[in-house]
Amino acid sequence: MSATAQGPEARRLRARLDDRRTRELQKLTSLLQVSQALSGTLDLRPALMEVFDALARHHEAVGCLVALLNRDSRELSIEAAEGFGRSGHHTPLAAGDGVIGRVIETGRQVVVPRLSLEPTLAQQLGLRTSAAADERSFLCVPVSIDRQPVGALGVCMKFDAGRNYERSTKFFGIVASMIGQAVKVQRLVVAQHRRLVTENARLKQELREGYDFSAIIGNSGSMQRVYEAVAQVARTNTTALIRGESGTGKELIAQAIHYNSLRAKKPFVKVSCGALPETLIESELFGYEKGAFTGAQDRKKGRFEVAQGGTLFLDEIGDIPLSTQVKLLRVLQEREFDRLGGTEVVKVNVRLVAATNKDMEQAIAHGTFREDLFYRLNVFAIFIPPLRERKPDVLLLADHFLQKFASEHGKDIRRISTPAIDMLTAYHWPGNVRELQNVMERAVLVCDGQVVHAHHLPPTLQTAEASGTAMNVSLAEATAAYERDLIQDALKSARGNRAKAARLLRATDRIFNYKVRQLGIDWKRFK
Ligand SMILES: Nc1ncnc2c1ncn2[C@@H]1O[C@H](COP(=O)(O)OP(=O)(O)OP(=O)(O)O)[C@@H](O)[C@H]1O
Ligand SMILES: [Mg+2]
């Protein structure tokens, strides 16, 4: 064993080697952490924060940031930052992005050993580095995708005259290249997701276009979903259950399912289960043989048989008695039944569509509806939202009914006045579309001009909020409201021209202007 190997020189060498090994190990450990952080999530910001954390813990970073170029606007913004004055998400960088901008532009790293000598950069980073003890260094390396710089990683460290900047930037360069990979993957995923969303919307649109929903009015998001559901179920033989409050249009949807299906040319048969007395419902559904009961003089086909090849619509299914529910379950399961008083088994090829406005879950809980039958019916459920939850449809429907009834009653009514529109939209429509339909038919009947006014609408809609009048107003107040309504409407038609508006109301200019002043109407806003 040589003496030199034991000497101080050898010990120093060994210590240096140990030191280097520790540093290398530390670097590898951090790189592993960085890679795990970046691959663990597609959400870039939290991943970057974890990376910054590793750099702070093991690599003396006192501040880190990643700035990225926006691909479309080419603007530079901070994606994530830690330890600087600013640390907001997507904070745009101030104009003339100095050092960071230069790194991205040239694709080359920049080292600023003393930040105090670069006050613009220090300010940009939200740092004050005046005191010598506070002196910082700033290292900035490009983040690239396919060799193209798309951003930069900036790291702030305490100033140390003996620091090996080359070694540090090399290491941060490796971290930046890993960040580049993560940005690339994230952008690919986002782009793919966007493509899929557009594709999905296009396919849905295509699917819908192949169907005819012209009888159903409504463009709201929730109705769009109803159309999609109808399009999905129409071409199948699946049993569908339509749910929704009374008057929401369940029957219309049931018809849409039938007429958009392959059974469209076969019968659509409706049975109103709620309207039939318990004793009649079975003979109605399944028919009977001659002599099955007193009065059964001839054999009668039931609705199931009449609907053969087509669709049987069981409306108000929640109202059928338990005994009939058992028989219905058999038809659904075995696609066959017997006529009353008959022995012959009748096979059926019928698609069932049922509708109800009842709370079926509660009916099951109360034992008035069989759970097994419910599940057989509820194979494909379509829920029609109440009208008050699809406000954009109210006006579309009101206009539709206005045209329909005006032409039915041979009246030339062109539009609905603004105050009337306000009332229609403010109302909560407990009776849904059916109620709106009735309201519009009444309005058409009582309307004596070309415009439906607020006073053509029924009193239920005349809430204080909607019409500006309380229910128990005086005659004077009610007349003033009526006058205001007429005058505003005339001003609207005349586009704020008072003389023209006066002529429309067959009033003199003097009286018209007097009324405008008296009622405090701002005629200028109609110009
Ligand atoms: N979206 C719509 N577009 C046009 N008309 C509609 C629409 N929804 C409903 N209607 C009309 O409103 C009326 C009530 O609709 P429908 O009879 O289908 O309601 P329902 O949900 O079956 O009500 P109920 O539960 O009381 O039987 C019908 O005259 C129907 O034509
Ligand atoms: Mg109905």
Side-chain angles (χ1 to χ4, degrees), residues 325-339:
Q325 289 177 28
V326 185
K327 298 208 169 124
L328 204 53
L329 186 64
R330 178 178 160 210
V331 189
L332 277 171
Q333 275 167 346
E334 289 155 33
R335 301 271 153 195
E336 61 180 38
F337 63 90
D338 316 305
R339 293 188 196 97

Side-chain angles (χ1 to χ4, degrees), residues 398-444:
D399 269 332
H400 164 77
F401 292 132
L402 178 72
Q403 281 172 26
K404 177 173 171 235
F405 293 121
S407 96
E408 264 179 43
H409 296 285
K411 287 194 160 187
D412 179 23
I413 305 176
R414 310 245 166 114
R415 62 185 183 85
I416 308 172
S417 78
T418 313
I421 286 176
D422 290 344
M423 281 168 67
L424 291 171
T425 41
Y427 186 57
H428 59 291
W429 300 109
N432 294 298
V433 185
R434 183 180 292 112
E435 186 180 8
L436 175 58
Q437 180 174 310
N438 293 342
V439 162
M440 291 316 292
E441 179 159 26
R442 174 189 186 274
V444 165

Side-chain angles (χ1 to χ4, degrees), residues 204-205 208 213-232 242-245 247-254 256 382-394 396-397 432-433:
K204 276 184 178 169
Q205 182 67 19
R208 249 180 290 140
F213 296 121
S214 51
I216 312 170
I217 310 296
N219 263 337
S220 55
S222 45
M223 283 309 283
Q224 300 281 359
R225 282 189 287 282
V226 170
Y227 303 147
E228 272 161 28
V230 172
Q232 271 173 18
I242 307 168
R243 303 180 71 172
E245 288 179 15
T248 45
K250 294 186 290 296
E251 189 162 343
L252 222 49
I253 294 297
I382 300 179
F383 177 74
I384 311 185
L387 189 55
R388 64 184 166 278
E389 284 172 20
R390 40 184 166 116
K391 288 271 172 186
D393 289 349
V394 172
L396 282 180
L397 282 159
N432 294 298
V433 185

Side-chain angles (χ1 to χ4, degrees), residues 203 373 414 418 521:
L203 287 175
L373 177 60
R414 310 245 166 114
T418 313
I521 296 169

